[in-house]
Amino acid sequence: MIALLQRVREARVEVAGQVIGQIDAGFLMLVCAEPTDTEEIAEKLIAKVLKLRVFSDEAGKMNRSLQDVGGGLLIVSQFTLAADTAGGNRPSFSGAAPAELGRRLYEHTLAIARRDHPLVASGEFGADMQVHLVNDGPVTIPMRMAA
């Protein structure tokens, strides 16, 4: 799975002008399933995200995790993370999982996140979403999780 984490002061996602997911300080996580991904990979990704130490401690060092700071987690599906721009000017998205698998893995990722963390919000798989965020730092972490 491919993920892009952004440490945020706040973030929200809207569909058709309605806010469907919103958090205060924490992570905005854009996530894309790939064709060979499994539920186990999604579980490893969430475990890593929740423990990733990129929040400041008392000394100002990135030494605290999302769980340590009690931050929110806004998870948004984004198949364009699998874009291949090597050939020409139109990206190929063949590296993204087919829609049915992508939806299943996205929903599993949400379920695991909600099981393991109290503050989880989400976008809507396949919807035309507008994502608003205030990046904190800025801190942006690309991640790829494999078996």
Side-chain angles (χ1 to χ4, degrees):
M1 293 187 87
I2 304 167
L4 184 70
L5 284 179
Q6 296 184 44
R7 190 178 74 181
V8 297
R9 300 242 173 150
E10 61 185 54
R12 73 180 187 277
V13 60
E14 299 176 359
V15 173
Q18 300 294 314
V19 175
I20 64 166
Q22 176 172 335
I23 62 168
D24 291 323
F27 279 141
L28 167 61
M29 179 176 143
L30 305 174
V31 65
C32 173
E34 297 175 285
T36 59
D37 287 338
T38 63
E39 291 178 347
E40 292 78 22
I41 292 171
E43 292 168 18
K44 283 173 50 178
L45 176 65
I46 290 297
K48 183 76 162 184
V49 166
L50 295 178
K51 292 181 174 86
L52 196 65
R53 296 182 350 188
V54 297
F55 293 89
S56 297
D57 63 15
E58 302 77 24
K61 300 223 184 253
M62 288 198 286
N63 202 26
R64 300 181 78 203
S65 71
L66 186 67
Q67 290 180 319
D68 293 336
V69 301
L73 177 60
L74 175 57
I75 303 175
V76 176
S77 62
Q78 189 169 356
F79 77 93
T80 60
L81 289 175
D84 179 356
T85 59
N89 294 322
R90 175 173 282 170
S92 168
F93 301 107
S94 61
E100 182 179 313
L101 175 61
R103 179 183 299 274
R104 184 171 55 81
L105 290 174
Y106 176 68
E107 290 173 0
H108 186 71
T109 300
L110 286 173
I112 295 304
R114 288 179 171 137
R115 180 195 73 191
D116 294 346
H117 194 68
L119 301 170
V120 177
S122 67
E124 180 182 327
F125 186 88
D128 179 14
M129 296 175 278
Q130 288 69 54
V131 180
H132 305 262
L133 68 134
V134 176
N135 197 314
D136 182 18
V139 174
T140 302
I141 311 281
M143 298 177 69
R144 183 172 239 132
M145 191 66 55

